[in-house]
Amino acid sequence: MVAFLAGVIYPLGFAPYSIWPLTFFSLFVVFGALYLSRGRALLTLACFAIGKNLVGVSWVYHSIHVFGNTEPFLAVLIVCVFVLILSAFYLPAGLIINFFSKQKNLSPNSYLLLFAACMAFTEWLLTWFMSGFPWLFAGHSVLDMPLSNLLPLVGTLCVSLIIFYLCGAFYLFINCLLYTSDAADEEDSVD
């Protein structure tokens, strides 16, 4: 449920809302959900993708219904199938993360790199679907911030990779601070 809600707020970082911190927070939450429930990456990413696409491609309904002159029920059905197809692109990432999560010696930094690479791979896969559907790429959410200066140099997918890495790294940093604080509190209570 948390991953689904993170997916729902993810598109709010893009036009017309352009509240980019929500996209970053969404990715922070998704990484946290994946990190805490290793082995359930497939379900977590599926919920995230469905939430993201339900909100992010809702404009397709208007196009199909109004401009395509399609009945509302059929337009909803078409959009739901489209959302499921787009969400299916997260399945390989979920399978890869699940596979590597079962390794006993996977460090937090390795998990972070795995997350960033799998999410960027998913965006790359979407560039091939129906001649490419580059919609809601994390790299596009930075158009109004200094990170956008990297877009012409390295491209959207590389900027997305950086964003995925930064969001996951921030989660690990916060987790480390909380863990260190809890350990210090326990040590003080023992004394």
Side-chain angles (χ1 to χ4, degrees):
M1 184 61 161
V2 171
F4 177 78
L5 293 176
V8 166
I9 65 168
Y10 178 90
L12 299 177
F14 300 86
Y17 307 105
S18 299
I19 310 169
W20 63 265
L22 288 179
T23 297
F24 282 58
F25 177 72
S26 171
L27 293 170
F28 172 86
V29 169
V30 167
F31 178 80
L34 288 169
Y35 189 73
L36 292 175
S37 63
R38 292 187 185 198
R40 294 182 52 194
L42 196 60
L43 178 62
T44 302
L45 286 178
C47 290
F48 168 74
I50 289 170
K52 169 190 155 189
N53 291 318
L54 273 175
V55 173
V57 298
S58 59
W59 57 272
V60 173
Y61 169 81
H62 184 75
S63 298
I64 293 170
H65 174 60
V66 174
F67 299 112
N69 200 23
T70 306
E71 292 298 321
F73 174 76
L74 185 57
V76 167
L77 183 64
I78 292 170
V79 170
C80 287
V81 169
F82 185 57
V83 164
L84 290 175
I85 290 170
L86 289 176
S87 299
F89 281 84
Y90 283 84
L91 297 179
L95 291 171
I96 292 168
I97 292 173
N98 273 347
F99 175 77
F100 284 104
S101 292
K102 294 176 183 168
Q103 310 302 319
K104 303 251 186 241
N105 57 353
L106 187 66
S107 70
N109 290 333
S110 298
Y111 195 83
L112 172 60
L113 289 172
L114 178 65
F115 166 75
C118 284
M119 294 295 280
F121 175 70
T122 300
E123 287 192 357
W124 177 79
L125 284 177
L126 282 167
T127 64
W128 292 92
F129 174 62
M130 294 185 344
S131 299
F133 193 73
W135 197 257
L136 300 175
F137 284 6
H140 292 156
S141 69
V142 299
L143 293 177
D144 297 329
M145 55 187 294
L147 200 54
S148 67
N149 293 330
L150 290 175
L151 286 169
L153 300 174
V154 296
T156 302
L157 293 175
C158 190
V159 172
S160 291
L161 179 71
I162 293 167
I163 291 169
F164 297 136
Y165 183 83
L166 290 175
C167 292
F170 188 64
Y171 176 85
L172 290 177
F173 176 72
I174 296 296
N175 194 34
C176 183
L177 285 179
L178 293 175
Y179 179 73
T180 306
S181 173
D182 289 345
D185 289 344
E186 286 178 17
E187 190 175 293
D188 290 341
S189 65
V190 172
D191 294 338

